């Protein structure tokens, strides 16, 4: 919905919102739940081929299976899962124990995850069409199976009866047991048959409505036509990329890349306004009734499950807990940033007055004048800066920072199977004890047929088994860096550097996890918490110390970025950040409010909210953002706030423990032990409070913006 935030729309549009989606991943798409339950078995199919070379000591991760092997493995996974569930279901009621109810399910889940991921991730990455197809097919089969497990009344009954005995078990085990129960109850298993049918019906209706909403947006082909003069300010290459009509008008679609270009670069206020209006009106007639029904169905579903409204249902197991708390959080930040935003705005207003005279300033002018002001305030040539970030320097630099920060050692592993020739694998050790902590693969470069977003996938989760065996985490980082015609890696743009740091944060988070249950791995933690380690790591990208370490000029890599540029990047990070944050908060509030109150009038809400948050600026005339806000429909419904939430707490952690930007090994190891190691097995708020030795605060986030203001 933010005009410059188009990547999301495209991504969401293509994924299938209906399905569980097995690959446990994070990044652009966020993590989707995976609640498999299985037991420890020897898996045959992948082992028969002795010519496979896996990671040392890590038999269950096989990354280059053939199409047939994938489908066979999927069938094996399913039949073994059925057997374990059948066994648990048949435990006599007077013999229920942790060992025969919880343990088999927990160990199955731990063991099975790696096998499932090996079946499912090739869908995103295999260079072979038939393997990708088999992988998609395997995913569907396993998906359907898992759903059926979560609906097994016989197993639910056993688990529930065992849970009600209140046996004394470890806190982590208790937490796991609650998750098991919840998996069933989220599917309505503790409801009467009639209510369960209603839940099912509502779930289908919600799927159907959200698909329709997104489909309407995807199919929207509205476009605008402009004469060349009306597009003054846009680069020639952009204009050349547009279709032209017979009378030489340029055809502008309402795809976000077209819209963003006009809003940032077009010198004519009238054009910006026309585009902004058309963009904000997309699918108005079609989608607003769909959204209204969708919100109602979600509320109804939440009420059947025992919540006051959908937002409380969505937030129940998150750090934020309740909608009231989220709204308070957003409103607090919004009011703390207002004064700074007004100062930022006056700069933009002055600029507009100079360029266009006394015309009123509208939201549609924001991007353009922010860009103009940044050009004047910062002497940054991002094309030139890119020449300083060859992958071959950035990657070892990131490794070095993480090694020094978290007390780990990273070493490449060679002579093992991969799915594409340029994929690399690394082992991670604890530098104190030399103990192997985990592995990760890097699949860094874009190629035909490859999944087109950056993310981190868990290929195996940490787990401890009752026989004393343990299993270590294996992560996979997928990035989209470019190679030139000759197959050489193109140096990274600065935003790509930041992105790589971010994703690598997820790798570290996953690998440092030491939870006994695979369910509590680094990537399956509370989503309000999940981005915090990565966002924390992003801070290092703006420290001169780091920038010098990871940069080197293309023609002479001994020359790092100069001090001046490093310092400017740090200031630039926060330029107009109050206005930018307020814009995000506006939409987070909109999302939160429509899901926390019955029968909200969307138009009325945005009309009031917009000027209130955006320091008096009204919503663009005639638009109703409710019609084209896919984030609030699929994937982030009632949880849009989560990104800014974790950013705020990451800023707090950085400021209070790592403030000078140099890797602080002591604090880093504390973070590893107190926060990353327990992962999802403990309440995220508790982990942070224990690490910070106080409750987390929003102050650093505000201070950072205020301190760097002009
Ligand atoms: C079902 O379980 C949930 C969560 O444990 C609980 O809040 C709800 O009241 C239960 N519903 C019924 C009908 O027992
Ligand atoms: C993956 O396996 C196929 C055969 O199934 C083989 O042809 C290919 O070379 C392997 N890929 C890599 C990168 O090792
Ligand atoms: C944010 O502000 C705090 C307090 O002024 C400071 O310690 C911290 O280093 C700042 N963070 C960044 C990324 O500049
Ligand atoms: Zn992330």
């Amino acid at each position: 919905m933010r005009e410059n935030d188009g990547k999301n729309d495209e991504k969401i549009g293509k994924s299938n919102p209906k399905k569980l989606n097995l690959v446990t991943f994070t990044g652009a798409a966020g993590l989707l739940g995976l609640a498999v339950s299985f037991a420890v078995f020897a898996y045959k199919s992948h082992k028969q081929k002795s010519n496979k070379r896996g990671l040392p000591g890590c038999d269950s991760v096989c990354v280059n299976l053939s199409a047939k092997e994938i489908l066979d493995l999927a069938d094996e996974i399913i039949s073994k899962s059925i057997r374990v569930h059948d066994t648990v279901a048949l435990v006599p009621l007077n013999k229920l124990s942790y060992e025969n109810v919880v343990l088999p399910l927990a160990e199955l889940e731990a063991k099975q995850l790696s096998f499932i991921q090996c079946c499912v991730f090739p869908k995103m990455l295999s260079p072979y069409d038939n393997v990708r197809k088999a992988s998609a097919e395997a995913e569907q089969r396993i998906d359907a199976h898992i759903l059926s497990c979560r609906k097994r009344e016989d197993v639910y009954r056993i688990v529930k009866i065992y849970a009600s005995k209140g046996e004394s078990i470890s806190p982590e085990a208790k937490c796991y047991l609650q998750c098991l129960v919840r998996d069933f109850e989220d599917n309505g298993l503790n409801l009467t048959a009639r209510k369960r049918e209603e839940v099912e019906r509502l779930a289908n209706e919600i799927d159907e409505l959200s698909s329709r909403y997104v489909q309407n947006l995807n199919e929207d082909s509205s476009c605008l036509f402009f004469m060349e003069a009306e597009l003054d300010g846009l680069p020639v290459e952009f204009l050349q990329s547009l279709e032209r009509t017979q009378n030489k008008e340029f055809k502008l679609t309402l795809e976000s890349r077209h819209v963003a270009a006009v809003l940032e670069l077009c010198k004519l206020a009238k054009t910006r306004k026309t585009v902004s209006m058309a963009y904000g009106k997309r699918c108005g007639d079609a989608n607003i009734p769909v959204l209204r029904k969708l919100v109602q169905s979600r509320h109804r579903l939440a009420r059947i499950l025992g919540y006051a409204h959908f937002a409380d249902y969505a937030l129940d197991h998150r750090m934020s807990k309740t909608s009231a708390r989220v709204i308070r959080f957003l409103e607090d930040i919004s009011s703390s940033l207002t004064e700074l935003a007004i100062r930022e705005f006056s700069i933009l207003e002055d600029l507009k007055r100079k360029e266009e005279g006394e015309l009123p300033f509208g939201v549609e002018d924001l991007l353009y004048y922010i860009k103009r002001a940044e050009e004047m305030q910062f002497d940054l040539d991002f094309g030139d800066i890119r020449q300083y970030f060859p992958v071959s320097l950035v990657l070892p630099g990131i490794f070095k920072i993480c090694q020094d920060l978290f007390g780990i050692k990273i070493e490449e592993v060679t002579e093992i199977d991969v799915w594409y020739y340029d994929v690399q694998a690394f082992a991670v050790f604890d530098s104190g004890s030399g103990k192997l902590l985990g592995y990760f693969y890097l699949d860094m470069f874009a190629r035909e047929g490859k999944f087109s977003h950056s993310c981190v996938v868990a290929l195996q989760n940490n787990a401890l088994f009752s026989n004393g065996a343990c299993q270590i985490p294996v992560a996979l980082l997928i990035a989209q860096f470019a190679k030139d015609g000759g197959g050489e890696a193109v140096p990274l743009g600065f935003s790509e550097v930041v992105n790589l740091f971010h994703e690598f944060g997820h790798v570290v988070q996953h690998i440092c996890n030491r939870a006994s249950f695979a369910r509590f791995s680094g990537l399956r933690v509370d989503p309000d918490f999940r981005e915090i380690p990565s966002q924390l790591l992003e801070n290092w990208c703006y420290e001169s110390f780091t920038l010098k370490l990871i940069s080197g000029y293309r023609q002479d890599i001994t020359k790092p970025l100069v001090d001046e540029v490093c310092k400017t990047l740090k200031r630039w990070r926060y330029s107009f950040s109050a206005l930018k944050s307020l814009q995000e908060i506006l939409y987070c509030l909109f999302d939160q409010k429509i899901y926390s109150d019955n029968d909200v009038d969307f138009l009325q809400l945005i009309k009031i909210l917009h000027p209130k948050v955006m320091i008096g600026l009204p919503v663009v005339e005639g638009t109703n953002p409710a019609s084209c806000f896919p984030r609030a429909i699929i994937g982030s419904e009632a949880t849009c706030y989560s990104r800014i939430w974790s950013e705020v707490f990451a800023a707090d952690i950085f400021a209070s423990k790592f403030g000078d930007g140099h890797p602080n090994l002591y604090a880093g190891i504390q973070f590893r032990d107190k926060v990353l190691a327990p992962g999802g097995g403990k309440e995220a708020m508790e982990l942070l409070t224990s690490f910070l030795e106080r409750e987390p605060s929003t102050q650093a986030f505000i201070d950072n913006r205020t301190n760097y203001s002009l």
Side-chain angles (χ1 to χ4, degrees):
M1 175 141 155
R2 271 171 58 186
E3 264 106 9
N4 53 354
D5 194 11
K7 271 186 296 181
N8 270 346
D9 319 16
E10 280 149 38
K11 159 106 204 99
I12 292 167
K14 277 181 198 129
S15 71
N16 181 348
K18 265 192 191 164
K19 285 293 155 205
L20 286 167
N21 227 327
L22 284 169
V23 181
T24 307
F25 69 103
T26 175
L31 168 141
L32 295 157
L34 173 87
V36 197
S37 328
F38 290 95
V40 190
F41 287 104
Y43 282 82
K44 290 175 284 135
S45 37
H46 72 285
K47 280 198 175 159
Q48 283 159 354
K49 295 228 165 155
S50 53
N51 58 344
K52 301 250 181 229
R53 296 162 309 167
L55 297 166
C58 220
D59 302 344
S60 26
V61 178
C62 333
V63 294
N64 189 25
L65 298 177
S66 68
K68 176 166 187 319
E69 286 168 323
I70 286 175
L71 291 172
D72 288 349
L73 183 55
D75 289 341
E76 208 177 334
I77 288 167
I78 293 169
S79 61
K80 280 176 178 157
S81 159
I82 292 175
R83 257 187 291 162
V84 173
H85 281 86
D86 287 348
T87 311
V88 171
L90 290 175
V91 179
L93 292 186
N94 59 352
K95 295 232 167 66
L96 301 186
S97 71
Y98 180 73
E99 285 71 25
N100 63 22
V101 178
V102 182
L103 214 52
L105 295 173
E107 300 200 339
L108 183 61
E109 174 173 351
K111 205 70 191 162
Q112 201 70 19
L113 177 94
S114 7
F115 293 107
I116 293 181
Q117 299 298 62
C118 294
C119 287
V120 171
F121 92 84
K123 181 182 90 167
M124 308 159 85
L125 298 179
S126 172
Y128 308 109
D129 202 32
N130 67 328
V131 173
R132 290 200 301 269
K133 275 203 189 108
S135 173
E137 158 85 34
E139 179 178 43
Q140 267 183 9
R141 286 188 208 168
I142 299 173
D143 235 352
H145 166 71
I146 290 170
L147 201 57
S148 74
C149 290
R150 290 180 188 173
K151 291 184 176 172
R152 278 186 68 156
E153 282 181 63
D154 52 355
V155 183
Y156 169 62
R157 183 160 157 267
I158 296 288
V159 170
K160 185 81 178 181
I161 295 174
Y162 171 74
S164 66
K165 285 177 34 171
E167 247 184 23
S168 149
I169 49 178
S170 75
E172 203 188 332
K174 205 172 204 164
C175 196
Y176 180 73
L177 179 57
Q178 283 166 359
C179 290
L180 272 185
V181 172
R182 202 194 306 152
D183 282 345
F184 292 109
E185 296 187 349
D186 280 351
N187 281 290
L189 285 207
N190 65 338
L191 301 175
T192 59
R194 243 192 58 221
K195 281 193 174 166
R196 200 185 310 167
E197 263 169 41
E198 178 72 358
V199 166
E200 190 116 334
R201 194 188 63 72
L202 285 167
N204 286 332
E205 187 174 292
I206 289 166
D207 281 345
E208 202 265 315
L209 289 166
S210 26
S211 307
R212 198 184 321 155
Y213 186 99
V214 171
Q215 199 181 343
N216 285 342
L217 279 173
N218 286 347
E219 285 171 2
D220 178 72
S221 56
S222 30
C223 53
L224 297 166
F225 296 91
F226 293 104
M227 299 305 292
E228 186 157 0
E230 293 173 305
L231 295 175
D232 190 16
L234 286 150
V236 184
E237 314 84 75
F238 177 82
L239 295 180
Q240 277 167 353
S241 77
L242 299 179
E243 272 180 52
R244 297 189 78 164
T245 62
Q246 279 161 348
N247 50 357
K248 297 278 182 227
E249 281 180 329
F250 289 91
K251 176 177 164 183
L252 192 88
T253 71
L254 295 180
E255 277 171 56
S256 42
R257 67 196 164 92
H258 282 178
V259 172
V262 169
L263 294 182
E264 275 195 359
L265 301 170
C266 181
K267 290 185 178 171
L268 284 98
K270 185 155 172 283
T271 306
R272 294 195 301 267
K273 183 151 192 174
T274 309
V275 169
S276 215
M277 279 170 71
Y279 191 65
K281 273 185 190 164
R282 279 173 310 150
C283 303
D285 296 335
N287 269 352
I288 291 191
V290 175
L291 182 60
R292 190 168 302 126
K293 272 183 87 174
L294 183 60
V295 170
Q296 280 164 3
S297 305
R298 283 187 164 140
H299 281 322
R300 214 169 298 139
L301 176 73
R303 278 195 296 268
I304 296 178
L305 297 171
Y307 297 87
H309 44 65
F310 181 75
D312 274 356
Y313 164 66
L315 304 183
D316 190 20
H317 301 292
R318 289 179 171 241
M319 254 172 109
S320 59
K321 292 274 190 292
T322 66
S323 186
R325 180 149 183 213
V326 169
I327 291 177
R328 210 176 335 120
F329 168 85
L330 293 170
E331 288 180 343
D332 278 355
I333 297 192
S334 152
S335 56
S336 309
L337 289 177
T338 296
E339 208 189 298
L340 177 58
I342 290 173
R343 266 186 283 149
E344 291 173 356
F345 185 66
S346 69
I347 297 171
L348 303 179
E349 249 184 339
D350 283 348
L351 260 182
K352 172 148 172 142
R353 202 170 301 124
K354 277 187 204 127
E355 285 203 7
E356 299 179 70
E358 294 293 332
L359 290 169
F361 197 109
V363 255
E364 69 277 8
D365 294 324
L366 273 177
L367 283 178
Y368 176 78
Y369 283 104
I370 285 178
K371 188 158 175 82
R372 296 281 294 127
E374 286 180 348
E375 277 164 9
M376 292 157 76
Q377 286 166 5
F378 303 103
D379 182 21
L380 287 176
D381 175 347
F382 282 100
D384 182 55
I385 290 176
R386 177 189 279 274
Q387 305 305 318
Y388 286 86
F389 291 117
V391 186
S392 58
L393 268 184
V394 175
L395 195 61
I398 294 181
F399 288 1
K400 168 122 179 61
I401 303 274
C402 291
Q403 295 183 136
D404 293 352
L405 188 55
F406 298 112
I408 55 177
K409 210 160 128 255
I410 299 172
E411 277 173 19
E412 184 161 8
V413 187
T414 52
E415 312 272 303
I416 51 155
D417 282 331
V418 286
W419 52 95
Y420 194 72
Y421 76 92
D422 64 6
V423 172
Q424 290 173 287
F426 297 83
V428 182
F429 302 90
D430 172 57
S431 50
S433 66
K435 194 173 155 250
L436 178 67
L437 294 174
Y439 292 102
F440 63 91
Y441 291 92
L442 295 181
D443 186 341
M444 304 275 276
F445 300 98
R447 62 176 176 266
E448 175 109 18
K450 176 176 161 177
F451 179 70
S452 61
H453 295 267
S454 298
C455 65
V456 172
V457 175
L459 292 183
Q460 176 163 289
N461 287 357
N462 196 72
L464 272 179
F465 297 102
S466 52
N467 65 2
C470 59
Q471 168 182 292
I472 52 172
V474 180
L476 153 61
L477 190 160
I478 305 171
Q480 307 294 337
F481 304 131
K483 285 188 173 174
D484 62 21
E488 286 290 311
V490 175
L492 307 186
F494 184 66
S495 64
E496 290 176 312
V497 172
V498 178
N499 190 254
L500 186 56
F501 256 97
H502 177 102
E503 295 304 339
F504 200 71
H506 288 306
V507 170
V508 171
Q509 172 183 15
H510 184 62
I511 287 180
C512 293
N513 181 266
R514 283 296 161 273
S516 326
F517 291 85
R519 172 68 68 101
F520 303 134
S521 92
L523 301 185
R524 294 186 62 193
V525 295
D526 175 348
D528 280 352
F529 172 78
R530 194 178 48 231
E531 297 300 321
I532 291 181
S534 292
Q535 286 174 333
L536 174 66
L537 213 51
E538 280 182 36
N539 286 296
W540 273 274
C541 303
Y542 299 89
E543 295 295 329
S544 302
F545 160 81
T546 313
L547 288 169
K548 298 238 170 218
L549 182 74
I550 63 172
S551 63
Y553 192 58
R554 201 175 197 177
Q555 266 84 38
D556 175 5
I557 60 160
T558 62
K559 282 198 187 133
L561 274 186
V562 297
D563 286 324
E564 196 52 35
V565 175
C566 297
K567 289 202 186 103
T568 312
L569 280 170
K570 192 163 179 171
R571 275 197 304 126
W572 167 80
R573 178 184 189 189
Y574 294 112
S575 82
F576 299 97
S577 57
L579 282 170
K580 290 172 189 167
S581 297
L582 287 183
Q583 232 175 353
E584 180 169 352
I585 288 170
L586 168 70
Y587 290 121
C588 295
L589 273 171
F590 183 81
D591 165 61
Q592 199 55 220
K593 291 196 169 190
I594 63 174
Y595 287 114
S596 62
D597 209 343
N598 294 320
D599 267 340
V600 172
D601 178 339
F602 305 142
L603 190 57
Q604 202 51 29
L605 175 64
I606 193 75
K607 275 192 169 155
I608 294 171
L609 211 51
H610 201 290
K612 191 169 158 218
V613 177
M614 291 304 295
I615 55 171
L617 292 172
V619 65
V620 177
E621 206 180 300
T623 65
N624 185 348
S627 72
C628 42
F629 188 11
R631 269 195 301 153
I633 308 306
I634 297 184
S636 303
E637 61 275 11
T639 57
C640 288
Y641 74 87
S642 191
R643 207 201 63 77
I644 200 161
W645 173 280
S646 44
E647 193 182 347
V648 164
F649 297 123
D652 186 23
I653 295 171
F654 185 76
S656 66
K657 299 283 183 182
F658 302 97
D660 70 357
H662 277 73
N664 172 341
L665 182 61
Y666 175 76
I669 289 190
Q670 291 273 307
F671 188 73
R672 204 181 114 186
D673 288 347
K674 290 189 168 175
V675 181
L676 299 181
K682 272 194 179 166
E683 292 265 344
M685 204 47 118
E686 242 175 77
L687 296 179
L688 288 192
T689 307
S690 132
F691 174 66
L692 292 167
E693 299 164 294
R694 58 165 169 77
E695 299 251 311
S697 137
T698 57
Q699 201 54 48
F701 179 86
I702 307 290
D703 286 350
N704 289 143
R705 279 148 187 76
T706 318
N707 293 345
Y708 283 93
S709 71
L710 311 144

